[in-house]
């Protein structure tokens, strides 16, 4: 077991429904610690950079439109095996396949409006955290 950090986004479908606290409660109950957090409006350029690996996918434009459609809450989460742990807590990308008790099962509307993002590896977590936070904004 190792202490890791992962990057999280609470997406516009969740902030619109005032679910930031409800999502954070699931995160904290799962043993993860929110060590940085801010509510922002993502610019198109930020969203296109963040989701650059999906640029060729048919849903890329829709994804960027959605992520810039309203406030998001970007976060750094810390804990034992935080990357995998948070992916378990989020549940499957498509809420139809998400397990009971997961954030996406509880709150997501669809595969696109799926309430949260979490990094898929320790390496990507570091890259994603660096896109939105400077070191002194993360307090463990
Ligand atoms: P996320 O973990 O933020 O990473 C990429 C996102 O693309 C994913 O969550 C989904 O919200 C979104 N996505 C994946 N597949 C589709 C799809 N078929 N249609 C729309 N959005 C999608």
């Amino acid at each position: 077991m190792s202490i890791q950090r992962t990057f999280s986004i609470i997406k516009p479908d969740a902030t619109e429904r005032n679910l930031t606290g409800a999502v954070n409660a699931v995160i904290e109950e799962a043993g993860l610690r929110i060590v940085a957090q801010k509510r922002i409006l993502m610019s198109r350029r930020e969203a296109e950079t963040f989701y650059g690996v999906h640029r060729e996918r048919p849903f890329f434009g829709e994804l960027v439109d959605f992520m810039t459609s309203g406030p998001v809450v970007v976060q750094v989460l810390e804990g034992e095996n935080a990357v995998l742990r948070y992916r378990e807590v989020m549940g499957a990308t498509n809420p139809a396949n998400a397990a009971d008790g997961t954030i996406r099962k509880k709150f997501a509307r669809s595969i696109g409006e799926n309430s949260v993002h979490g990094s898929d590896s320790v390496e990507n977590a570091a890259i994603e955290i660096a896109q939105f936070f400077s070191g002194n904004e993360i307090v463990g």
Side-chain angles (χ1 to χ4, degrees), residues 11 51 54 59 62-63 93 104 111-112 114 116-118:
K11 297 187 180 184
Y51 282 119
H54 297 302
F59 57 81
E62 189 186 320
L63 177 59
T93 303
R104 286 169 170 159
I111 191 167
N114 65 355
V116 281
H117 164 85

Side-chain angles (χ1 to χ4, degrees), residues 3-6 31-35 76-80 82 138 140:
I3 300 295
Q4 296 173 346
R5 286 179 175 172
T6 193
L32 293 167
R33 186 172 292 270
I34 301 163
V35 294
V76 181
L77 310 181
E78 187 176 86
E80 293 220 331
I138 305 168

Side-chain angles (χ1 to χ4, degrees), residues 13 20-21 75-77 83 87 98 100-101 137:
D13 68 284
T20 299
Q75 305 176 306
V76 181
L77 310 181
V83 171
R87 291 184 74 78
D100 283 347
E137 293 178 307

Side-chain angles (χ1 to χ4, degrees), residues 128-140:
E128 293 175 358
I129 289 168
Q131 188 181 342
F132 291 97
F133 290 98
S134 57
N136 64 3
E137 293 178 307
I138 305 168
V139 183

Side-chain angles (χ1 to χ4, degrees), residues 13-58:
D13 68 284
T15 61
E16 181 190 15
R17 287 174 286 158
N18 209 21
L19 291 172
T20 299
V23 171
N24 281 350
V26 179
I27 290 170
E28 293 185 341
E29 278 159 20
L32 293 167
R33 186 172 292 270
I34 301 163
V35 294
Q37 173 171 261
K38 57 189 172 189
R39 181 174 165 106
I40 62 167
L41 273 175
M42 217 182 259
S43 68
R44 289 196 74 81
R45 177 175 290 212
E46 283 174 322
E48 286 168 0
T49 299
F50 185 77
Y51 282 119
V53 296
H54 297 302
R55 195 173 287 275
E56 304 305 323
R57 301 280 196 97

